[in-house]
């Protein structure tokens, strides 16, 4: 039995006790069955189809976590998960889509998920590539900072727990709401107008993320050119390049508009599953919630490092929200005063007071 047989309503599709708990024993038995089936293609396919897709997907994330751990320790490079960050959520959504097709379950709604997720992956992978993320030996600078700050044994524990396994499981959990949509597709197989609305929202968030990353790329490229040639590139002023960080465009209203869009993308996938199952909340919200918490911590750490490099960053932090804009106006910079608006009545009152004094 790969799917629950006690589902009668859409609300049942999000019920942990009916859709997840009964299949946990499959997780414990999966390793031995995988070893038995790995040499036989037919048996491997049967194992895949006859295993609950939520369970098999989680098992894959654990196997990948072990691979990331071994690769990191052998190469002494701890950005192994980073290289797959833009690919794995789409891989897992594709897993649910393929499993549905092999099992004869309508997949139109999962196809819609896979559409925007593929676009998300392509865009994020390209952005990571052009920044040199796939270069030999490239590693996120934050891992080096942490490595210097804590004992060597503590960092190895950190790699075993957080970097390799936790992050691998997290990338699966943010895609797990697709499981609820898979179950709901057995009851409501056709794409609805709400599905189209959610698809449009996801594509819109990807566009925002693209614009933010492109603005950052243009600025950093100009700054690098300026530092190498001492000439200010066209379209920029020396002061903004000397500042060291971008404060224009979307970055004038949010310190991390790309991160804000990224968190929203996976939160809205969870909301999509809530709509599909006609529930206000479900266990599938754990993944997006953990992702948001991760972004809180990693963004704070990133800004801690940035504020130590650029003196003006403290002013920027004070005037611009981390993710959500604090107001409608863009960042003005320190020492830039907004002209005070004097009402006509106030001006007349001051003139009257001056006359009386005379």
């Amino acid at each position: 039995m790969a799917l629950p047989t006690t589902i009668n309503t859409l609300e049942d599709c999000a019920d942990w006790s009916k859709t997840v708990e009964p299949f946990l024993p499959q997780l414990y038995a999966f390793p031995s069955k995988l070893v038995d089936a790995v040499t036989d293609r037919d048996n491997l396919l049967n194992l895949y189809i006859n295993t609950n897709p939520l369970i098999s997907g989680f098992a894959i994330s654990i196997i990948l976590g072990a691979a990331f751990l071994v690769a990191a320790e052998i190469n002494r490079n701890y950005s192994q998960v980073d290289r797959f960050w833009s690919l794995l959520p789409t891989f897992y959504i594709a897993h649910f889509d393929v499993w549905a097709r092999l099992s004869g379950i309508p997949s139109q709604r999962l196809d819609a998920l896979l559409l925007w997720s593929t676009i998300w992956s392509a865009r994020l992978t390209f952005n990571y590539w052009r920044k040199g993320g796939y270069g030999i030996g490239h590693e996120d600078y934050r891992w080096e900072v942490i490595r210097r700050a804590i004992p060597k044994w503590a960092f190895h524990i950190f790699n075993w727990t957080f970097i390799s396994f936790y992050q691998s499981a997290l990338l699966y959990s943010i895609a797990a709401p697709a499981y609820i949509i898979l179950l709901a597709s057995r009851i409501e197989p056709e794409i609805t107008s709400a599905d189209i609305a959610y698809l449009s929202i996801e594509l819109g968030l990807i566009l925002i993320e693209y614009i933010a990353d492109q603005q950052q790329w243009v600025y950093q490229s100009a700054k690098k050119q300026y530092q190498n040639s001492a000439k200010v590139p066209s379209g920029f002023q020396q002061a903004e390049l000397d500042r060291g960080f971008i404060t224009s465009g979307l970055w004038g209203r949010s310190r991390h508009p790309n991160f804000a869009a990224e968190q929203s993308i996976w939160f809205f996938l969870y909301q999509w599953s809530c709509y599909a199952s006609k529930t206000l909340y479900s266990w599938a919200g754990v993944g997006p919630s953990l992702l948001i918490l991760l972004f809180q911590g990693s963004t704070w750490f990133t800004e801690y490092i940035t504020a130590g490099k650029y003196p003006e960053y403290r002013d920027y932090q004070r005037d611009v929200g981390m993710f959500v804009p604090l107001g409608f106006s863009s960042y003005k910079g320190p020492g830039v005063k907004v002209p005070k608006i004097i009402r006509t009545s106030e001006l007349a009152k001051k003139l009257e007071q001056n006359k009386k004094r005379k």
Side-chain angles (χ1 to χ4, degrees):
M1 181 180 68
L3 289 182
T5 58
T6 56
I7 290 180
N8 299 311
T9 66
L10 288 172
E11 289 81 356
D12 289 342
C13 297
D15 189 331
W16 169 273
S17 65
K18 294 180 179 180
T19 63
V20 181
E21 192 173 344
F23 301 99
L24 293 179
Q26 290 188 357
L27 179 63
Y28 313 139
F30 188 81
S32 60
K33 289 184 177 181
L34 180 62
V35 171
D36 294 338
V38 73
T39 56
D40 189 320
R41 182 180 301 178
D42 292 335
N43 286 339
L44 193 61
L45 180 60
N46 288 332
L47 174 63
Y48 180 72
I49 295 175
N50 294 320
T51 303
N52 178 273
L54 185 72
I55 298 301
S56 58
F58 181 71
I60 292 172
S61 74
I62 298 301
I63 294 171
L64 288 176
F68 294 143
L69 173 64
V70 172
E73 293 296 346
I74 290 177
N75 295 295
R76 291 294 185 266
N77 184 307
Y78 299 90
S79 279
Q80 306 303 321
V81 179
D82 298 338
R83 291 181 173 86
F84 289 87
W85 189 281
S86 63
L87 301 172
L88 286 180
T90 297
F91 168 78
Y92 292 126
I93 290 176
H95 152 66
F96 287 115
D97 196 359
V98 169
W99 193 94
R101 288 174 178 274
L102 291 175
S103 302
I105 296 173
S107 62
Q108 292 93 324
R109 303 172 87 180
L110 292 169
D111 292 341
L113 266 63
L114 187 57
L115 171 63
W116 68 259
S117 184
T118 300
I119 296 172
W120 171 84
S121 280
R123 191 214 67 79
L124 191 58
T125 301
F126 168 74
N127 193 61
Y128 188 69
W129 166 79
R130 69 176 175 177
K131 293 193 296 185
Y134 294 108
I136 297 176
H138 177 272
E139 183 183 56
D140 191 312
Y141 68 93
R142 290 171 295 187
W143 298 138
E144 177 62 26
V145 173
I146 295 175
R147 196 157 51 230
R148 292 178 179 178
I150 63 176
K152 187 176 181 180
W153 61 266
F155 187 82
H156 282 298
I157 294 176
F158 184 63
N159 179 38
W160 274 74
T161 55
F162 176 79
I163 298 179
S164 296
F165 283 103
Y166 179 83
Q167 288 194 120
S168 181
L170 176 62
L171 290 173
Y172 173 66
S173 66
I174 61 176
Y179 174 63
I180 294 179
I181 296 176
L182 183 154
L183 296 176
S185 295
R186 297 197 298 173
I187 300 174
E188 193 175 76
E190 301 297 329
I191 291 180
T192 67
S193 57
D195 293 321
I196 299 300
Y198 275 110
L199 175 61
S200 301
I201 291 172
E202 296 288 23
L203 293 175
L205 289 169
I206 293 172
L207 178 61
I208 292 173
E209 200 170 29
Y210 164 76
I211 293 172
D213 280 338
Q214 184 63 21
Q215 289 174 344
Q216 177 76 273
W217 174 259
V218 171
Y219 174 83
Q220 292 296 337
S221 298
K223 187 177 78 169
K224 184 176 181 180
Q225 181 181 342
Y226 166 64
Q227 291 172 340
N228 291 336
S229 66
K231 295 181 180 179
V232 178
S234 175
F236 290 88
Q237 295 180 358
Q238 183 175 346
E240 63 179 319
L241 297 177
D242 286 336
R243 180 190 296 119
F245 58 93
I246 183 173
T247 62
S248 58
L250 295 177
W251 301 82
R253 293 171 171 80
S254 169
R255 302 201 302 270
H256 303 279
N258 52 348
F259 291 174
E262 178 69 13
Q263 295 169 80
S264 299
I265 284 170
W266 299 105
F267 176 77
F268 272 101
L269 173 59
Y270 162 60
Q271 287 299 303
W272 196 340
S273 73
C274 288
Y275 169 80
S277 58
K278 298 296 184 287
T279 55
L280 291 176
Y281 57 89
S282 74
W283 57 266
V286 172
S289 297
L290 291 176
L291 180 71
I292 291 172
L293 288 176
L294 175 62
F295 267 96
Q296 301 301 314
S298 65
T299 304
W300 174 86
F301 185 53
T302 300
E303 291 199 334
Y304 172 78
I305 298 173
T306 304
K309 295 167 60 178
Y310 307 115
E312 192 181 322
Y313 201 79
R314 297 292 185 188
D315 297 304
Y316 181 57
Q317 287 177 305
R318 184 192 63 235
D319 296 343
V320 179
M322 179 181 286
F323 302 121
V324 180
L326 299 178
F328 295 102
S329 60
S330 184
Y331 178 67
K332 303 297 182 182
V336 178
K337 297 182 179 180
V338 179
K340 182 181 179 181
I341 299 175
I342 302 176
R343 299 179 183 274
T344 305
S345 58
E346 293 177 353
L347 182 59
K349 186 177 180 180
K350 287 185 177 182
L351 291 174
E352 185 65 27
Q353 289 175 348
N354 290 335
K355 288 179 180 180
K356 288 181 179 179
R357 290 173 183 171
K358 291 180 180 179

